[in-house]
Amino acid sequence: MRRSEYSSEMRLKTPVRFLEGRFLASAVLLAGVAGLVTSCGNTQKVQAKDPGGSNGGVSVGVVKVGRRTLERTLRVSSELVPFQEIDVYAKEAGYVKQLNVDYGTRVQANQVMAVLEIPELQSQLKQDDADIKSASDQITLAQNQLHRVQAQHKVAQLQYDRLDGVAKSKPGLVAQQEVDDAQGKALATAAQVESAESNLENAQSRLSGAQAKRERDQVLFDYSKITAPFAGVVTQRFANLGTLVQAGTNSSTQAMPLVRLSQDDLFRLVIPVPESYVRYIHIGDPVRVSVPSLNQTFPGKVARFSVDVKEDTRTMHTEVDVPNPKRQLLPGLYADAEINLERKDNSVAVPLQAVDRNGDRTSVNVVGASNQIEIRRVTLGVQTANYAEVLSGLNEGETIVASDRSSLKAGQQVQPKPMQLAEYQGQDDQ
């Protein structure tokens, strides 16, 4: 064979052999993968058909029955409101003469926030003073008149007593006419005394009336100084210097408040408690109040609640008092109130995912000493989002199945393997 023919033949045969080698290797690889898949499928089928075979049974995730502190809590979101918040009105109409507060001003109880100018009351007080002086003068005059007629009556009474005594001891010595005249003068002066005493009492009554009117007008004038009824902070201001404010007691006019005052050292959180939790609510129960915007938790307590359930919402109005000594809380902030409903310490507990329910019947799958399944009925108590208290049917330290139990039967052989449980942080779990 010539060199040219040999070279041409080698060029043709070499790619064919190479391709044949690649096809052969691929076929072997695919056959191996198919065999592995078939083998795995067959193994699973054998385990499903023969869970109690030579491998010791199907593997199950198990946990030990232990003791835990179980606590049910109720978490409700609501809005923080001041313990007290009022609009401060003027008792009497007047012009704002002095304004001592503004937005954000903190005041103490009875602190003067504003002073009104009320000219009419000032004039009325002057008139009251004049009436009191006049009544006092009338009393002085009545007292002098009373003293004069009392003296006249005393003289007339003595004269009558002497003449009457002589007439009785020595009849005929004194004419009866003189005795009768003396008696008449004594009776007349006695009547004058009674009249003078009545005039004095009237004058004293007029003085008391004038003084009472003066006190009333003074009280009204004192309302020109608008004071804070409690310690707090001014959150709104509605008036300026010179503003004419109307009396808040007059319903015929649109009275404008001077300021809005909020008590900020104590807040209240109004929460609607669902009907199913009403029986757990008690006065004084501690409450954890979390404010997400501040990233802080504040202590509170159940201070008051209504004793009825609203028909439309099936909830009970409940209020939680939250102290705010550092003035960190602000009106309008949203907060989460977490109330302890029920607590059981050192209770035998099982995970809820290990409990099977069939109507009112509850049971768990217990793995015995020989790794055989025993379906045991249990009685549950307090339940949280993750665990349930076992009142009867289980003992501490026993092993129960917490994984899938749909294919397990009583007496079945299993391979227990401890497992870690993922806990759900719900409102009824601490």
Side-chain angles (χ1 to χ4, degrees):
M1 183 181 294
R2 293 190 296 274
R3 181 182 298 275
S4 60
E5 294 176 354
Y6 175 79
S7 300
S8 175
E9 185 180 12
M10 289 297 293
R11 285 194 298 271
L12 292 174
K13 291 181 179 180
T14 298
V16 172
R17 291 194 185 109
F18 178 74
L19 292 173
E20 290 176 351
R22 292 188 61 183
F23 286 140
L24 180 60
S26 300
V28 172
L29 179 60
L30 291 175
V33 171
L36 179 59
V37 172
T38 303
S39 176
C40 294
N42 291 337
T43 301
Q44 293 176 352
K45 290 179 180 178
V46 170
Q47 290 180 352
K49 291 180 180 179
D50 186 16
S54 60
N55 58 0
V58 64
S59 296
V60 293
V62 298
V63 294
K64 291 286 187 180
V65 178
R67 292 184 176 272
R68 296 177 62 91
T69 296
L70 301 180
E71 184 178 23
R72 296 182 64 194
T73 59
L74 173 66
R75 182 183 292 269
V76 183
S77 297
S78 185
E79 182 180 354
L80 285 167
V81 295
F83 188 77
Q84 297 183 90
E85 186 174 43
I86 62 170
D87 289 337
V88 181
Y89 288 86
K91 175 72 173 180
E92 292 294 320
Y95 296 94
V96 178
K97 180 180 179 181
Q98 183 179 344
L99 188 60
N100 302 328
V101 296
D102 209 327
Y103 285 91
T105 302
R106 298 191 181 277
V107 297
Q108 299 299 321
N110 301 320
Q111 179 178 336
V112 177
M113 295 187 293
V115 178
L116 303 181
E117 184 178 5
I118 310 176
E120 298 85 357
L121 284 179
Q122 292 176 334
S123 300
Q124 187 61 51
L125 288 175
K126 293 180 180 179
Q127 181 63 43
D128 293 339
D129 291 336
D131 293 341
I132 290 174
K133 186 177 184 303
S134 175
S136 299
D137 294 340
Q138 292 295 325
I139 289 177
T140 302
L141 181 62
Q143 288 175 342
N144 294 334
Q145 181 68 21
L146 176 60
H147 294 159
R148 186 178 71 255
V149 296
Q150 284 177 340
Q152 292 175 354
H153 171 65
K154 184 178 180 180
V155 172
Q157 186 66 36
L158 288 174
Q159 185 177 1
Y160 165 70
D161 291 340
R162 291 194 193 99
L163 292 175
D164 185 60
V166 172
K168 290 179 180 180
S169 61
K170 296 180 180 181
L173 183 62
V174 179
Q176 185 62 37
Q177 182 65 37
E178 293 182 6
V179 175
D180 293 339
D181 290 343
Q183 185 180 13
K185 291 181 180 178
L187 293 175
T189 54
Q192 292 176 358
V193 170
E194 291 179 359
S195 177
E197 289 176 346
S198 179
N199 291 337
L200 178 60
E201 290 177 357
N202 290 335
Q204 291 175 340
S205 297
R206 287 193 295 271
L207 176 61
S208 298
Q211 290 174 339
K213 186 175 182 301
R214 204 318 183 155
E215 291 177 0
R216 174 183 176 277
D217 292 339
Q218 182 63 53
V219 169
L220 295 178
F221 184 76
D222 290 340
Y223 281 119
S224 63
K225 295 181 179 180
I226 301 176
T227 59
F230 53 82
V233 60
V234 175
T235 58
Q236 292 284 339
R237 190 199 73 211
F238 302 100
N240 296 310
L241 290 176
T243 302
L244 174 62
V245 292
Q246 299 295 331
T249 58
N250 191 352
S251 59
S252 62
T253 60
Q254 295 295 329
M256 178 182 65
L258 185 73
V259 295
R260 178 171 297 164
L261 183 63
S262 299
Q263 182 179 352
D264 61 346
D265 61 345
L266 182 65
F267 276 76
R268 68 173 76 199
L269 196 64
V270 180
I271 58 177
V273 175
E275 180 181 3
S276 57
Y277 298 114
V278 166
R279 61 192 177 100
Y280 297 109
I281 303 300
H282 305 91
I283 298 295
D285 287 346
V287 181
R288 291 181 292 274
V289 180
S290 302
V291 183
S293 59
L294 300 179
N295 195 24
Q296 293 188 45
T297 301
F298 301 84
K301 66 178 181 180
V302 177
R304 63 198 66 85
F305 56 82
S306 65
V307 292
D308 64 336
V309 176
K310 295 182 179 179
E311 295 183 0
D312 52 347
T313 62
R314 307 310 303 172
T315 58
M316 182 179 70
H317 178 93
T318 305
E319 293 188 0
V320 177
D321 285 353
V322 186
N324 186 34
K326 297 182 180 179
R327 307 302 196 278
Q328 294 173 291
L329 297 176
L330 300 175
L333 292 179
Y334 276 96
D336 296 328
E338 188 173 334
I339 306 176
N340 296 328
L341 299 178
E342 196 173 7
R343 180 185 178 94
K344 289 293 185 68
D345 296 323
N346 198 28
S347 300
V348 177
V350 295
L352 283 180
Q353 69 184 68
V355 178
D356 294 325
R357 301 179 185 272
N358 185 10
D360 295 335
R361 181 187 179 93
T362 54
S363 61
V364 296
N365 289 9
V366 180
V367 179
S370 58
N371 292 340
Q372 289 184 336
I373 294 295
E374 175 190 354
I375 300 178
R376 190 180 301 174
R377 187 172 181 178
V378 294
T379 303
L380 304 181
V382 177
Q383 298 183 35
T384 67
N386 300 302
Y387 290 90
E389 178 190 17
V390 179
L391 300 177
S392 64
L394 277 180
N395 297 317
E396 182 181 2
E398 290 189 287
T399 303
I400 60 175
V401 179
S403 61
D404 182 28
R405 303 173 298 283
S406 59
S407 61
L408 299 181
K409 298 180 180 180
Q412 181 176 347
Q413 194 78 19
V414 295
Q415 290 184 357
K417 293 184 178 180
M419 64 179 296
Q420 295 291 331
L421 301 177
E423 296 189 2
Y424 165 73
Q425 294 296 331
Q427 73 169 10
D428 288 336
D429 192 25
Q430 174 61 24

